[in-house]
Amino acid sequence: MKTVSLTIDGKKITATEGEKLLWAVLDNGIYIPNLCALRENSEPSAACRLCFVEVEGKEQPVTACTEEVTEGMVVNTRGTKALRLTRSAFELLMASQVVDCAHCASNDSCELQRIAHHLGVKLKSKRFRKLVRELPIDDSSPVFIYDPNKCVLCGRCVWVCRERLGIGVLGFAHRGFERVVTTFAGEPLGKFKCQECGECVNVCPTGALVFKDGKEPEIGAKIRGGSGEV
Ligand code: FES
């Protein structure tokens, strides 16, 4: 495969032609906020709108998860326009999130905390009116707990369950503010023939899906071939 050279924040790097910019940047130790992208998904939904960067020659910032690297590309991950868009998207997202880190199993490993720190914004932003739902927590699975109140609708769990595992227990229902990740007819997860592999938990960037005993079942590692790749 052909290699291309590009510059990220003044640093020269190489990447594989056709690779998405997000992975090339992350692989070179430079962080870009991201919630919805998965490396194995070649058709990213770009749903979270958090990975904006500026590319020389382009008038508007682009989402790094959908942009392919090209020879000679010059990228600024900290440009004013890109950061303004990312901050707005993040604060809007947090306006509909319950923030209770002290009582969350994902405290200190939550991607939302990392993004807030990176952007220099608070998790409890006052910029937008707070609008949160009080949805029931589903603990019917023997392996994991699903708290839809902590879900950011990134769609990673839906994609992994359907595309990687070919099961499709999880999906989206409703639109707008009512949108939610759920099962068919909103039945409890424990009622479905889920493999209980925990792959949905492994790709969840927040505390929406967490293992009951804090660790994944053996079948999860077997499914991934022990690679640990999510
Ligand atoms: S990671 Fe690019 S839009 Fe979500």
Side-chain angles (χ1 to χ4, degrees):
M1 266 186 265
K2 201 175 155 195
T3 297
V4 294
S5 304
L6 53 157
T7 307
I8 316 284
D9 297 346
K11 181 182 172 184
K12 299 248 183 254
I13 69 160
T14 56
T16 306
E17 190 177 45
E19 187 182 1
K20 294 291 191 280
L21 182 57
L22 177 66
W23 308 118
V25 173
L26 293 177
D27 287 346
N28 279 276
I30 299 169
Y31 182 67
I32 296 176
N34 68 94
L35 286 176
C36 66
L38 278 175
R39 200 180 284 262
E40 66 195 287
N41 181 1
S42 58
E43 292 175 11
S45 62
C48 73
R49 318 303 290 167
L50 292 176
C51 65
F52 281 110
V53 295
E54 294 175 16
V55 175
E56 210 170 272
K58 291 193 188 261
E59 213 169 297
Q60 298 300 331
V62 297
T63 46
C65 66
T66 55
E67 190 75 12
E68 288 186 3
V69 295
T70 55
E71 179 60 40
M73 196 177 215
V74 179
V75 180
N76 181 4
T77 72
R78 309 284 309 183
T80 313
K81 276 187 183 175
L83 282 178
R84 193 183 303 136
L85 284 174
T86 303
R87 281 199 184 103
S88 293
F90 185 68
E91 288 179 275
L92 204 50
L93 171 71
M94 294 314 297
S96 61
Q97 290 295 303
V98 173
V99 179
D100 185 18
C101 301
H103 300 101
C104 180
S106 291
N107 192 14
D108 289 337
S109 63
C110 178
E111 202 61 26
L112 297 177
Q113 293 174 318
R114 184 178 189 185
I115 294 171
H117 180 73
H118 178 82
L119 296 174
V121 298
K122 289 191 170 22
L123 284 169
K124 290 184 181 173
S125 169
K126 292 195 171 76
R127 188 167 158 206
F128 299 107
R129 188 159 64 97
K130 197 90 182 163
L131 266 180
V132 291
R133 298 174 291 177
E134 286 187 27
L135 299 169
I137 295 169
D138 184 350
D139 66 352
S140 60
S141 161
V143 174
F144 54 83
I145 299 167
Y146 171 46
D147 183 350
N149 302 295
K150 295 178 184 171
C151 175
V152 290
L153 301 172
C154 67
R156 285 182 177 182
C157 57
V158 174
W159 191 89
V160 162
C161 189
R162 187 183 59 219
E163 304 296 332
R164 189 199 289 167
L165 304 166
I167 300 171
V169 165
L170 295 168
F172 285 107
H174 313 304
R175 289 178 179 225
F177 182 64
E178 301 299 325
R179 193 158 171 82
V180 67
V181 168
T182 184
T183 59
F184 183 72
E187 295 276 8
L189 278 156
K191 280 186 94 175
F192 287 83
K193 282 202 172 151
C194 154
Q195 285 192 41
E196 290 156 7
C197 61
E199 286 298 88
C200 55
V201 181
N202 285 326
V203 296
C204 179
T206 70
L209 284 158
V210 293
F211 290 116
K212 275 191 166 162
D213 63 0
K215 61 180 193 320
E216 73 169 316
E218 267 178 34
I219 186 175
K222 277 189 196 145
I223 283 173
R224 288 202 312 281
S227 70
E229 178 76 59
V230 294

